[in-house]
Amino acid sequence: MIKKLFHKIFKSAERRTVVKNMFSLSILQGLNLLLPLLTYPYLIRVLGKDLYGTILHAAAITYYFQMLTEYSFHMTATKEVSVHANDTNKLHSIFNEVFTTKMFLLAGSTVAMCILIFTIPFFEEQRLIYLLTFGNVIGLAIFPVWFFQGLQKMKYITYFNFICKIIFTAAIFIFVKKPEDAWLAPLFTSCGYISAGIVSLIYIKKLFKIPFQRKPFKKVKEQLKIGRYLFLSELKISLFTNTNTLLLGFIAGEAAVAYFASAEKVARAIGNIYTPLTLALFPYMVKNMNKDKISTYTDILRITKVGSLLFLVILIPSFIWSDLIMELLFGKGMENASLIFRILLFIPIAAFIDNMFGKQVLLTLGKDNLYFRVISAAAALNLILNLFLTYQYSYRGTAVALIVTHIFIDIGMYWYAKREIKRTALS
């Protein structure tokens, strides 16, 4: 069934390209998901719940700066590169405009992070961990995955990323042996991101002969304007993902963060299995949506149904054996994470449906404002639910608030996507 669907949607040349990019993206995504799942269980055993919770809390804070420097370029810039893939001069211009904008955002993020951790007493005790974790932001800012993704040539950077991250992840297991070594964990993680970014820039210079140029601020403003709706939407998404962890840390303490964040990371790791597929599909859907919106929407419906069924094959056993999974990953004393894991197992299917109708339909149709409308309402709902439920029920309340918000998003994205396609059919 899956093979037949795949062959029906893609022509032979398109199949080869999509498969190659799915393979490369699977390796990249696999690293981003698997390496934390290897290091975090080790760190919680070596460092203890509190220091482990601090590392997760630091990651939650720096995630906002990662979002700022990424600024939705993984969608907007990828789309532009895909459209102008055969125009060398235009590609050079797009690369330099986007990279200049990212460096501008990185500079602002660096200043903001320093002000935050050097002026607020809460960060004083573990300031070094928060500073070193910010290295992830630097590495992701200079890593031009959006450029290679738009060209559908992901293999060029997959190997560099793989080697760099494996080396520095191994360093965590070698050098982090006691609580006093906690600062080395974010240091090595940041080094993995930064080294991969540097090597990829060297390669992009050599392979595509792009003359690196700083663009005027006028171009920076244009890029910020292009992606503003999507960026604001993703910023609001963080209010019911990342901010949940942040609020939980302030309200219930670092141990509660350890329970919730551990379960959430495993649930999202399962959910992100679909990410290589959706990232590889996006440039293809952009082109096909311009040719035949109805047929492309029908293909998306088929993929959504099949993908949801495949997730159930994984999620049902995960629900049944959640206690064993949590114990194997995080050891004794993390039984409280098992209930949270069961609750959050809805996330994989919910996020997949959101992606298919939100990004693959609404964003490819250019309906960024509708996407933003759904996310805005969801962010407000989540914040209200979170403040009440987290205060009343700690990490259990946080999990329930997150699931309710995801359901709301799925309903909104599907409703708008279906409405816009119907309008297309009638026009």
Side-chain angles (χ1 to χ4, degrees):
M1 179 181 177
I2 299 170
K3 184 177 180 181
K4 183 179 179 182
L5 174 63
F6 193 72
H7 280 260
K8 182 177 180 180
I9 294 175
F10 303 110
K11 298 176 183 177
S12 58
E14 291 172 333
R15 280 201 300 270
R16 287 193 294 270
T17 301
V18 172
V19 168
K20 287 178 181 177
N21 284 288
M22 279 180 59
F23 178 74
S24 297
L25 286 164
S26 294
I27 295 176
L28 286 176
Q29 188 67 22
L31 283 175
N32 292 333
L33 297 175
L34 181 61
L35 295 184
L37 288 180
L38 291 175
T39 56
Y40 284 158
Y42 174 75
L43 291 175
I44 195 171
R45 288 174 170 86
V46 172
L47 305 179
K49 289 179 197 172
D50 288 338
L51 276 174
Y52 168 70
T54 298
I55 289 174
L56 293 179
H57 201 239
I61 291 174
T62 55
Y63 178 75
Y64 288 104
F65 297 110
Q66 291 177 24
M67 284 189 58
L68 180 61
T69 55
E70 286 298 292
Y71 198 80
S72 74
F73 291 125
H74 64 288
M75 300 296 290
T76 57
T78 296
K79 183 177 179 180
E80 286 296 301
V81 171
S82 175
V83 171
H84 300 285
N86 297 319
D87 187 339
T88 302
N89 291 330
K90 184 64 176 177
L91 282 180
H92 290 183
S93 178
I94 292 171
F95 178 85
N96 283 305
E97 286 178 16
V98 172
F99 196 75
T100 299
T101 305
K102 286 172 74 69
M103 292 304 99
F104 171 79
L105 295 172
L106 177 60
S109 298
T110 304
V111 172
M113 183 66 177
C114 289
I115 293 174
L116 184 68
I117 62 176
F118 283 106
T119 58
I120 299 179
F122 177 84
F123 301 106
E124 184 176 354
E125 185 177 352
Q126 300 296 344
R127 185 175 291 155
L128 183 59
I129 288 178
Y130 287 91
L131 270 176
L132 293 174
T133 304
F134 187 79
N136 297 350
V137 180
I138 299 172
L140 288 170
I142 64 176
F143 191 58
V145 63
W146 50 271
F147 185 79
F148 290 96
Q149 185 185 330
L151 293 176
Q152 301 188 65
K153 295 181 178 179
M154 291 297 299
K155 67 178 182 179
Y156 293 111
I157 56 173
T158 300
Y159 304 118
F160 304 135
N161 200 53
F162 181 84
I163 293 171
C164 291
K165 288 188 176 178
I166 287 294
I167 290 173
F168 287 103
T169 297
I172 292 177
F173 290 97
I174 295 171
F175 295 102
V176 180
K177 297 295 185 182
K178 54 185 183 298
E180 291 75 17
D181 300 330
W183 63 277
L184 289 173
L187 172 64
F188 290 134
T189 302
S190 295
C191 286
Y193 280 103
I194 293 172
S195 58
I198 292 173
V199 173
S200 65
L201 287 177
I202 294 172
Y203 196 70
I204 206 172
K205 174 77 172 178
K206 179 180 178 181
L207 183 66
F208 296 99
K209 312 298 182 185
I210 295 180
F212 292 176
Q213 298 173 339
R214 182 174 61 85
K215 292 293 183 178
F217 188 68
K218 177 183 177 181
K219 294 296 182 181
V220 171
K221 290 195 294 184
E222 288 177 3
Q223 287 294 329
L224 294 177
K225 185 177 180 180
I226 290 171
R228 68 187 185 282
Y229 279 124
L230 184 55
F231 167 69
L232 290 173
S233 297
E234 296 197 339
L235 181 62
K236 289 180 180 294
I237 289 174
S238 73
L239 292 176
F240 52 84
T241 53
N242 196 65
T243 303
N244 291 348
T245 304
L246 200 63
L247 285 174
L248 183 61
F250 289 127
I251 294 173
E254 305 292 14
V257 171
Y259 296 136
F260 175 80
S262 297
E264 185 190 27
K265 286 184 181 300
V266 179
R268 292 198 180 278
I270 296 173
N272 285 332
I273 291 172
Y274 76 84
T275 301
L277 171 64
T278 54
L279 289 177
L281 279 176
F282 186 69
Y284 167 82
M285 291 300 177
V286 169
K287 294 177 182 178
N288 280 32
M289 196 66 84
N290 291 328
K291 298 176 185 177
D292 188 343
K293 294 180 176 62
I294 304 299
S295 177
T296 304
Y297 180 71
T298 302
D299 292 338
I300 289 172
L301 284 175
R302 292 194 188 105
I303 294 171
T304 304
K305 291 176 182 177
V306 173
S308 298
L309 289 173
L310 289 176
F311 268 127
L312 287 176
V313 175
I314 302 172
L315 297 181
I316 292 174
S318 298
F319 185 90
I320 294 172
W321 291 307
S322 63
D323 291 331
L324 179 61
I325 292 171
M326 289 295 102
E327 184 176 337
L328 287 175
L329 287 175
F330 302 105
K332 298 286 186 180
M334 290 293 287
E335 293 80 7
N336 291 330
S338 180
L339 172 61
I340 306 306
F341 181 56
R342 283 194 174 101
I343 297 173
L344 297 182
L345 276 175
F346 181 74
I347 286 179
I349 290 180
F352 178 65
I353 294 172
D354 165 23
N355 187 289
M356 296 308 296
F357 292 110
K359 293 182 178 178
Q360 304 291 338
V361 178
L362 292 180
L363 293 186
T364 54
L365 287 173
K367 301 297 179 179
D368 302 40
N369 59 325
L370 298 179
Y371 185 88
F372 178 68
R373 187 180 300 175
V374 174
I375 298 301
S376 297
L381 172 65
N382 181 77
L383 188 58
I384 294 170
L385 289 174
N386 224 318
L387 288 173
F388 174 74
L389 294 176
T390 299
Y391 180 78
Q392 292 291 329
Y393 305 104
S394 188
Y395 50 88
R396 298 177 185 86
T398 305
V400 172
L402 184 57
I403 292 303
V404 172
T405 303
H406 270 291
I407 293 172
F408 177 87
I409 291 172
D410 286 346
I411 294 172
M413 293 300 180
Y414 173 74
W415 190 85
Y416 276 121
K418 187 177 180 180
R419 190 192 73 174
E420 293 306 309
I421 292 297
K422 281 186 175 180
R423 287 181 176 181
T424 299
L426 295 173
S427 63

